[in-house]
Amino acid sequence: MQKLSDNLKFKYTWRIYQQKFLDGFQEHIKDEHLHVIAPPGSGKTILGLEILKRIGKPTLVLSPTLTIRNQWRSRLLEFFTVNGEFDAYSLDIKSPDQITFSTYQSLFSFSKSFGENAKEQLLAYIKEHQIETLVLDEAHHLKNEWWYCLFHLKAIEGLTVVSLTATPPYDSTGTEINRYFSLCGPIDDEIAVPDLIKNGNLCPHQDFIYFSKPEAAQIKYIVSYREQILNFTNKLLANTALQEKLITQDFYVNPKKSLDYIYQYPSFFSSIIIYLNSCGYAVNENNLKILGFVNNDVTFPSFTYEWSEVLLQHLLVDQREYFIAFEDILLPLEKELKRIGVLDNKRVNCVGDEGLYRNLSNSPSKLESIFKIVEHTNVSLQEGARTVILTDFIRKEFLNFEGNDTKTINKLGVVPIFKYILAKQPTNSSLAVLTGSLVIVHENALSHLKEILAIVQLGVEPIEGSAGYIFIPVPDALKNKIAEAITQLFKIGIMTTLIGTKAFLGEGWDAPCINTLILASYVGSFVSSNQMRGRAIRVDADNPDKTGAIWHLACLDPTAINGGKDMEKLQQRFEAFNGVSMRDEIYISNGIDRLVLPEEWSETLDLATINKDMLSSAQQKNVFRDRWAAAIAKGNVLVRELKIPYTNETSFARTKKLNALNAGKYVMLEVVLGVSFFIPEFLLKNFGAVLNKGVVQVIYIFCAALILGFGPKTFKALKLYFLFGNQYKKTKKIGTAILHYLIDEKNLNFESNNAKIVAEQNLKGTFSIYLQDASQHDCNIFISLLEEVIAPIDNPRYLLVNVNFIKRKLGIKNYYVVPKDIGKNKTEALRFKEYWNKHVDGSKILFTRTVKGRKELLKARFSHLKYQFEEVSKKAITWK
């Protein structure tokens, strides 16, 4: 068997950031795991080949598509072999070699071919062929059944797993994210976009958003949908039959006898109490005690749509059999919810169903947004414009559209976009459509196309209502050649706006000349769209001054103050990549905050002005080039940090977003200010009493007035202080405990022995905490543990509980989580407690899997309800 390190050698010189990564390779691979984020343009495939060469063992490389699989082979032969002489590779998983390039689908199909005992036979096959390294390229959003094969392979003892991705699936559900990181492991290293721009491997770029409002029909649909849910909720609150059934249930009447059930479904139990409270029922004191409240010291939250979902999901779906006696009441509720679209596929969703989300995401109002961006780009860049519009569907049914009445173009897709732009600009001859089954060009481009293809005749058909444009039927044999030819024509400017599908252009297609990308895609993951985004920010050898503009489209829900589902999805997507801030302070970070958007999206907001500003900013190429340069100069590494913002409100009663850990300070401030105003006023009003009754009696009156006037607020301030303390100092202490534990116990493969905690607080009060002098892997471990400790409590095995004499008298306890990776067993949990007691406070450890423990866990989970606080800490990636 040929030795990989003897037969493969990288022919060129490594870029600075690539060499920096390779210098730390041996440390990363110690635990037989390597998870690397490498943005498009960073040479991810070449680095992957160098990694498997250095590991030096028979390797299976899995890719998402055949195109990318073939790229691995071509990069191997082009960059690592002399005259392509290395032949110890295979493209067929059924005939593996030292390096086997395959796809996830091929692996799944191959495993199915074994029939019975497929898992055991697949593992035996891998061992038989001595495959000891598994490379996962872009292992995100795979079909569910494909995951099983990968987890089976990962179970092989001694197998080294290398995961390479340009974009982790941050925009996915929590389940998908957890599954991804369970397979790929924590991120070990990341090649930073600022380094790529600094080294000239990516061009300066900026993300923009063009906003639109739904069409009148869509608004009517949304408003009607919301009204139906509101009417249903009002009827639910008036449903005395349901209420009378609930108040007779054993777990409600005698909660102490139903602790196992209540602790198994604590959210459902809470939803019943909140529902009945909203219906006017006095809540049983025993029920409050179960939730951790004493002396009715609780301000109940409203019966919101979220609580309604919890209640109905449990009654109608999850525990329907348990509530069989409710059937005469539940059946009408079920029918009504299905009728209005709230109950679908065994899921109750009162906030907005998938149909509502798609209705907005696919809004025809986005057609106007696309046209405005294209029009503005053409005016701004003229012949230099190279715009690609990426969408999901072709929608050939719109090919027969004629005229300029765009109201009938009511869907988003390749053909609707093409027809809409032409309806607005009938003389535009610079458009082209490129998909796997549909190719449209202007007749002016036909001769150039024939020349590149070296053919005399090419079958074409005219397009109705699109003067000058022709449809090219593409035989399978010519599909790739025509795609390459149109890409060349796009490059030289025969056409300047290319409209295509995500499926055809999203991965594998390359055109570095792109300088404007419009992402009109919403189906599936944003990851594949981000592959396309990467192509728009690559440098262009023929245009050294290139800058990239990436446009995202958002259709705002006029009934939602946060902008609705479309905006929410966009915010998630922005977590997946870094960029430079658009205005004000110059910095590089992930997230949508860097665009400085309005905090609330009211109906009166002037979207036209926001869009005009976005278009104007997109023109200012030198500005975002200079901002990138200034921001890059301010740092040298991407840092994973935990950000804890708060609103600077002095009145606690008026704020709902004030962070819990600083609340005591503001209430105490209110007390101090109140007393300072009260004393002079009291003395002036009672000056005569001092002369008549004497100083001592007046002091008694003064003290009584203070207690009556400010006693409750003082008590509340003290309670908040002892419950939460000072957030900034407390979080630093918690971070210190975690860091010392990781360094001293050598747990979780933490290697950064010289790491230091850095906490920064800006003038607005927001602070961030991160590690300095630590690897990306160790920073990820630290931040994940810290976030888990201070996040809302879910279902940990161990809790840290702090209570002293004063807190006991105030009836409060502090609860913090022992992170799951530390709390896997009692020994480690107790070791962590020692560091906690040394650096934070004198807490006791509590195992939550006992009756007593589950009772305390329930109190911990719901203690925040009485203060109505909102956790707002979140991970961020910032260039520092």
Side-chain angles (χ1 to χ4, degrees):
M1 184 178 285
Q2 300 180 44
K3 194 174 180 182
L4 291 179
S5 57
D6 292 341
N7 292 279
L8 298 176
K9 185 177 181 180
F10 184 59
K11 297 179 182 179
Y12 306 100
T13 303
W14 293 109
R15 298 167 183 170
I16 295 173
Y17 61 85
Q18 291 173 331
Q19 187 62 57
K20 182 181 176 183
F21 162 74
L22 292 171
D23 288 343
F25 166 75
Q26 291 300 334
E27 286 296 317
H28 295 318
I29 208 69
K30 277 183 180 179
D31 60 351
E32 297 180 335
H33 267 87
L34 179 61
H35 186 184
V36 182
I37 299 176
S42 62
K44 172 168 62 74
T45 305
I46 294 171
L47 276 175
L49 290 164
E50 178 67 17
I51 289 167
L52 66 87
K53 187 204 85 170
R54 292 192 180 195
I55 294 173
K57 300 174 182 177
T59 301
L60 173 61
V61 179
L62 295 172
S63 302
T65 64
L66 288 172
T67 302
I68 296 177
R69 180 204 68 177
N70 294 338
Q71 282 180 358
W72 277 85
R73 177 188 59 178
S74 63
R75 298 291 192 275
L76 172 74
L77 299 178
E78 181 181 351
F79 290 92
F80 287 87
T81 65
V82 178
N83 299 322
E85 292 177 355
F86 180 79
D87 62 358
Y89 70 87
S90 169
L91 296 178
D92 185 2
I93 195 170
K94 296 177 182 177
S95 303
D97 211 317
Q98 273 200 282
I99 304 175
T100 304
F101 301 111
S102 188
T103 64
Y104 295 107
Q105 185 174 4
S106 296
L107 174 67
F108 174 69
S109 299
F110 181 59
S111 69
K112 281 185 68 177
S113 68
F114 288 118
E116 292 185 10
N117 301 319
K119 174 184 176 182
E120 290 74 14
Q121 292 190 59
L122 177 63
L123 297 188
Y125 180 86
I126 296 295
K127 291 176 182 177
E128 177 191 346
H129 289 87
Q130 300 179 338
I131 294 173
E132 297 180 51
T133 302
L134 179 64
V135 177
L136 306 175
D137 188 14
E138 302 291 2
H140 42 60
H141 292 277
L142 304 175
K143 292 184 179 179
N144 285 334
E145 59 266 26
W146 296 2
W147 287 98
Y148 300 125
C149 295
L150 298 175
F151 278 112
H152 292 164
L153 292 184
K154 190 179 177 183
I156 297 175
E157 187 175 350
L159 185 75
T160 299
V161 179
V162 177
S163 302
L164 306 169
T165 185
T167 314
Y170 294 123
D171 66 326
S172 307
T173 63
T175 302
E176 287 177 319
I177 293 173
N178 291 334
R179 186 168 57 180
Y180 172 82
F181 282 105
S182 294
L183 176 67
C184 300
I187 297 168
D188 289 288
D189 209 344
E190 177 172 1
I191 295 174
V193 167
D195 277 331
L196 294 171
I197 293 177
K198 184 178 180 180
N199 285 276
N201 303 115
L202 290 181
C203 71
H205 56 274
Q206 184 59 275
D207 291 274
F208 302 96
I209 303 175
Y210 201 98
F211 298 96
S212 63
K213 292 182 179 179
E215 302 287 312
Q218 286 182 302
I219 293 176
K220 185 178 179 180
Y221 170 81
I222 294 168
V223 171
S224 173
Y225 181 84
R226 302 284 188 221
E227 286 177 347
Q228 289 182 81
I229 294 176
L230 180 61
N231 290 336
F232 175 85
T233 304
N234 289 336
K235 289 178 183 177
L236 190 66
L237 291 171
N239 193 326
T240 54
L242 176 62
Q243 295 155 21
E244 288 170 0
K245 282 278 190 182
L246 288 173
I247 62 174
T248 60
Q249 293 299 297
D250 286 343
F251 60 78
Y252 185 82
V253 178
N254 299 304
K256 290 183 179 180
K257 294 182 180 180
S258 306
L259 289 179
D260 287 343
Y261 183 82
I262 292 170
Y263 294 156
Q264 189 176 359
Y265 307 108
S267 296
F268 172 59
F269 184 66
S270 298
S271 71
I272 290 175
I273 291 176
I274 292 166
Y275 168 65
L276 291 173
N277 177 73
S278 296
C279 296
Y281 284 82
V283 179
N284 186 321
E285 188 175 333
N286 290 329
N287 287 323
L288 292 178
K289 287 181 178 179
I290 293 296
L291 289 175
F293 304 120
V294 294
N295 302 323
N296 290 324
D297 180 23
V298 55
T299 302
F300 282 95
S302 302
F303 185 63
T304 60
Y305 289 157
E306 288 78 10
W307 284 114
S308 179
E309 284 180 12
V310 174
L311 177 68
L312 296 170
Q313 180 72 30
H314 201 90
L315 290 174
L316 297 173
V317 182
D318 298 344
Q319 293 289 308
R320 187 69 172 261
E321 293 181 3
Y322 184 90
F323 292 96
I324 194 70
F326 285 48
E327 198 61 27
D328 60 326
I329 300 169
L330 297 183
L331 193 58
L333 293 177
E334 180 183 39
K335 288 181 178 179
E336 179 66 8
L337 288 178
K338 285 183 176 179
R339 185 188 69 78
I340 62 179
V342 171
L343 176 58
D344 186 39
N345 291 325
K346 296 185 177 182
R347 172 77 172 91
V348 177
N349 188 340
C350 296
V351 178
D353 66 354
E354 186 65 17
L356 181 65
Y357 165 53
R358 287 181 179 241
N359 195 276
L360 285 174
S361 298
N362 195 32
S363 172
S365 67
K366 291 186 177 180
L367 292 168
E368 180 66 13
S369 300
I370 293 168
F371 169 70
K372 289 292 186 183
I373 296 166
V374 171
E375 180 185 45
H376 183 271
T377 302
N378 289 340
V379 171
S380 175
L381 300 181
Q382 298 181 3
E383 293 83 3
R386 295 292 184 276
T387 303
V388 169
I389 305 168
L390 191 67
T391 190
D392 297 299
F393 302 111
I394 297 174
R395 303 203 190 278
K396 292 182 181 179
E397 64 268 25
F398 287 90
L399 277 171
N400 296 328
F401 170 82
E402 295 186 53
N404 55 13
D405 183 11
T406 56
K407 291 180 181 178
T408 58
I409 307 179
N410 57 5
K411 291 183 179 178
L412 203 60
V414 171
V415 177
I417 292 169
F418 168 73
K419 289 285 190 176
Y420 191 94
I421 294 174
L422 270 186
K424 293 282 188 175
Q425 293 179 332
T427 60
N428 190 332
S429 60
S430 62
L431 301 176
V433 166
L434 179 58
T435 75
S437 62
L438 181 67
V439 175
I440 298 173
V441 298
H442 195 271
E443 58 189 8
N444 294 344
L446 189 57
S447 60
H448 299 281
L449 189 61
K450 289 178 180 178
E451 184 180 343
I452 293 174
L453 293 172
I455 57 177
V456 178
Q457 291 296 326
L458 188 64
V460 298
E461 299 174 15
I463 307 245
E464 291 183 37
S466 305
Y469 280 91
I470 52 176
F471 160 63
I472 304 175
V474 183
D476 288 341
L478 279 179
K479 185 181 292 185
N480 289 334
K481 286 186 178 180
I482 286 184
E484 290 172 4
I486 289 179
T487 302
Q488 288 186 46
L489 296 181
F490 178 62
K491 179 180 177 181
I492 63 177
I494 300 300
M495 64 273 295
T496 59
T497 301
L498 195 58
I499 309 164
T501 55
K502 177 191 69 177
F504 194 67
L505 301 181
E507 294 191 30
W509 182 73
D510 202 5
C513 60
I514 302 170
N515 51 37
T516 303
L517 175 66
I518 304 173
L519 292 171
S521 170
Y522 72 92
V523 172
S525 162
F526 184 69
V527 173
S528 53
S529 296
N530 206 35
Q531 296 289 330
M532 192 67 224
R533 181 182 179 275
R535 281 141 182 81
I537 64 179
R538 284 187 177 176
V539 293
D540 182 4
D542 297 327
N543 181 13
D545 293 327
K546 172 190 167 181
T547 57
I550 302 99
W551 283 94
H552 309 262
L553 308 177
C555 183
L556 300 176
D557 180 349
T559 66
I561 200 71
N562 67 349
K565 280 282 186 178
D566 212 22
M567 193 63 200
E568 183 182 312
K569 191 69 175 176
L570 208 54
Q571 288 173 327
Q572 292 175 339
R573 291 172 175 181
F574 267 74
E575 297 297 322
F577 47 82
N578 298 300
V580 69
S581 55
M582 185 177 286
R583 57 178 68 91
D584 302 331
E585 180 188 358
I586 297 177
Y587 63 91
I588 297 168
S589 181
N590 67 329
I592 207 167
D593 291 346
R594 58 189 174 84
L595 298 191
V596 195
L597 300 174
E599 292 184 8
E600 295 183 346
W601 299 93
S602 64
E603 288 188 60
T604 58
L605 204 62
D606 187 0
L607 293 187
T609 300
I610 296 174
N611 289 333
K612 185 178 179 181
D613 289 343
M614 287 283 178
L615 290 170
S616 176
S617 297
Q619 270 190 333
Q620 299 166 15
K621 308 293 185 182
N622 290 332
V623 172
F624 52 83
R625 182 185 285 112
D626 293 343
R627 289 185 74 85
W628 269 108
I632 289 171
K634 292 170 69 174
N636 52 38
V637 67
L638 279 179
V639 170
R640 278 173 165 71
E641 61 184 359
L642 198 66
K643 280 191 172 181
I644 302 98
Y646 75 75
T647 54
N648 190 15
E649 298 281 352
T650 55
S651 173
F652 175 76
R654 289 196 301 269
T655 182
K656 291 183 180 178
K657 294 182 179 179
L658 182 62
N659 192 286
L661 304 185
N662 283 320
K665 178 174 67 175
Y666 288 109
V667 182
M668 186 60 79
L669 177 63
E670 190 177 348
V671 172
V672 171
L673 289 173
V675 170
S676 64
F677 285 115
F678 171 76
I679 292 174
E681 184 180 353
F682 178 86
L683 291 175
L684 286 172
K685 287 183 178 179
N686 294 277
F687 185 73
V690 173
L691 298 177
N692 297 328
K693 297 182 179 180
V695 175
V696 175
Q697 192 169 357
V698 171
I699 290 176
Y700 282 138
I701 297 171
F702 173 71
C703 292
L706 271 181
I707 292 170
L708 289 172
F710 297 98
K713 286 185 178 180
T714 305
F715 177 80
K716 189 175 187 179
L718 287 171
K719 195 167 187 176
L720 287 169
Y721 177 78
F722 282 111
L723 188 59
F724 301 114
N726 180 285
Q727 181 184 20
Y728 180 67
K729 292 180 180 178
K730 188 69 169 279
T731 308
K732 281 186 70 174
K733 289 179 180 180
I734 294 171
T736 302
I738 293 171
L739 180 59
H740 282 277
Y741 167 81
L742 289 171
I743 292 175
D744 295 348
E745 300 300 317
K746 306 297 180 188
N747 200 356
L748 303 176
N749 299 302
F750 192 90
E751 302 282 351
S752 304
N753 294 327
N754 297 319
K756 297 187 292 289
I757 290 177
V758 179
E760 299 172 343
Q761 190 164 27
N762 64 24
L763 295 175
K764 294 181 180 179
T766 298
F767 73 87
S768 59
I769 185 166
Y770 59 93
L771 287 187
Q772 205 172 60
D773 300 330
S775 67
Q776 290 280 4
H777 171 271
D778 292 350
C779 287
N780 279 325
I781 293 293
F782 172 79
I783 291 299
S784 295
L785 293 177
L786 179 60
E787 183 183 42
E788 197 174 346
V789 169
I790 68 175
I793 294 169
D794 185 22
N795 191 27
R797 287 174 59 85
Y798 290 95
L799 282 173
L800 291 160
V801 186
N802 179 259
V803 58
N804 54 35
F805 176 78
I806 298 176
K807 290 180 181 179
R808 196 177 298 114
K809 291 300 180 183
L810 292 172
I812 60 175
K813 292 181 181 179
N814 287 107
Y815 297 97
Y816 287 96
V817 171
V818 176
K820 63 180 179 181
D821 286 335
I822 296 174
K824 290 177 180 178
N825 59 68
K826 187 175 182 180
T827 302
E828 280 304 314
L830 288 172
R831 290 291 297 147
F832 181 68
K833 181 182 82 79
E834 292 177 15
Y835 290 89
W836 183 276
N837 291 164
K838 181 178 179 180
H839 297 284
V840 185
D841 58 37
S843 294
K844 294 180 180 179
I845 203 87
L846 176 69
F847 183 56
T848 64
R849 298 305 187 252
T850 63
V851 173
K852 178 185 176 184
R854 293 200 72 83
K855 186 174 182 179
E856 285 294 317
L857 176 60
L858 194 63
K859 291 180 180 180
R861 289 182 65 179
F862 291 98
S863 62
H864 70 285
L865 288 179
K866 72 177 77 175
Y867 299 106
Q868 296 183 334
F869 291 139
E870 186 178 303
E871 284 290 346
V872 289
S873 64
K874 68 174 184 176
K875 293 178 183 177
I877 305 171
T878 308
W879 180 255
K880 292 183 180 288

